[in-house]
Each structure stands twice: as C-alpha cells, then as structure tokens.
Amino acid sequence: YMQRTTVGYNVLQDILKAEYPISINLVKLGNFDSQQGAPAGLSDPVVIEENGKQQVKSVKISIFKNVIEQLGSFQPMYKDSGLSVNDIIGTTAVHEGVHATRKEAMYKITGKEKESDAIALGVEQEAVNELKSKKQKQKDK
C-alpha cells in the first residue's frame, strides 16, 4: 500500500535500507472508544545510549486496521477524499515510517512531540495529495 505513491515508495526504501531492523504489523487496537478517537498507527523505537549518543536499535510499527476502518475517513486529511481503507493504511504506514527512519521525527530522541509529529504529518499529507491527484485523473478519463 505504501508503494501506491512515490512518497510512500521512498519511505519504504528508507525502511528497507535502515541500519536497524524495522517491522510493520497490521494489528487490531484493543479496547478503543471510537467516540474518543485513537491513533491510526504507532512507531515504537528502541533507543539506547552508546558512547554518549542515542542509538536506535530497532523500531516496531503497528498499524491499527480497526481504527482506520472506523475513523479513518472522518479525519480532516481524509474526509471526502474518496480514499479507501487500504489507501489510508498505506499513508499511515508512510507516516509511521518517517518516525521510524528519521531521527528528527523520533520523539524518543528529540523530546519534541509536536515537532516530530509535524514532520511525519507533512510527509503523510504529501502521500495523501498524490493519491487524491491519481484518483482525480482516473475520474477525468
């Protein structure tokens, strides 16, 4: 799903070329209240300090399919976009992939949650825009 856009393809390449293992799992988030909202995904890096520097040892990405199925199309970025659940899974994986591969987008390293998330959101938005454009071109044919 990530490869449906050039942005997603590039993030996937970053994941494959990372110097540490990165796993991506499509899972169900248990006990979430759809009225309260929930994250569509999570990037969980294992960070250790070595020689005075923070080193990433691994990252586990979880994409919450049930959250995306229930809430994805209601999010501002996706509302009235015509994107499918699979499209949103792909763009969520792009978002989490940025957190997994770019240290400036890793809250555990930067300590700056909003700034780290803004980086990943920007790349996710690029992927969403590319998908929307592709869908519009298909409609116009």
Side-chain angles (χ1 to χ4, degrees), residues 40-51:
L42 175 69
S43 177
D44 187 19
V46 173
V47 179
I48 64 165
E49 194 163 317
E50 257 180 17
N51 302 323

Side-chain angles (χ1 to χ4, degrees), residues 27-132:
V27 297
K28 181 179 178 181
L29 179 64
N31 299 326
F32 90 93
D33 180 353
S34 61
Q35 300 299 317
Q36 298 295 316
L42 175 69
S43 177
D44 187 19
V46 173
V47 179
I48 64 165
E49 194 163 317
E50 257 180 17
N51 302 323
K53 288 188 174 184
Q54 292 180 310
Q55 300 291 323
V56 179
K57 287 298 175 186
S58 65
V59 180
K60 178 182 176 184
I61 296 173
S62 298
I63 306 297
F64 303 122
K65 187 176 182 198
N66 60 326
V67 173
I68 292 169
E69 289 170 339
Q70 289 187 37
L71 302 177
S73 63
F74 296 107
Q75 299 307 307
M77 188 182 303
Y78 296 106
K79 192 171 181 79
D80 302 322
S81 68
L83 298 183
S84 69
V85 166
N86 288 341
D87 291 332
I88 299 172
I89 287 170
T91 55
T92 300
V94 168
H95 177 112
E96 298 306 334
V98 170
H99 283 306
T101 58
R102 300 185 189 176
K103 289 185 179 179
E104 69 273 15
M106 284 186 198
Y107 169 68
K108 283 189 177 178
I109 289 182
T110 67
K112 299 175 181 175
E113 189 171 4
K114 284 183 182 178
E115 292 88 340
S116 298
D117 206 46
I119 294 167
L121 278 169
V123 178
E124 178 182 6
Q125 185 68 65
E126 287 178 42
V128 168
N129 291 346
E130 190 176 336
L131 280 174
K132 286 179 181 179

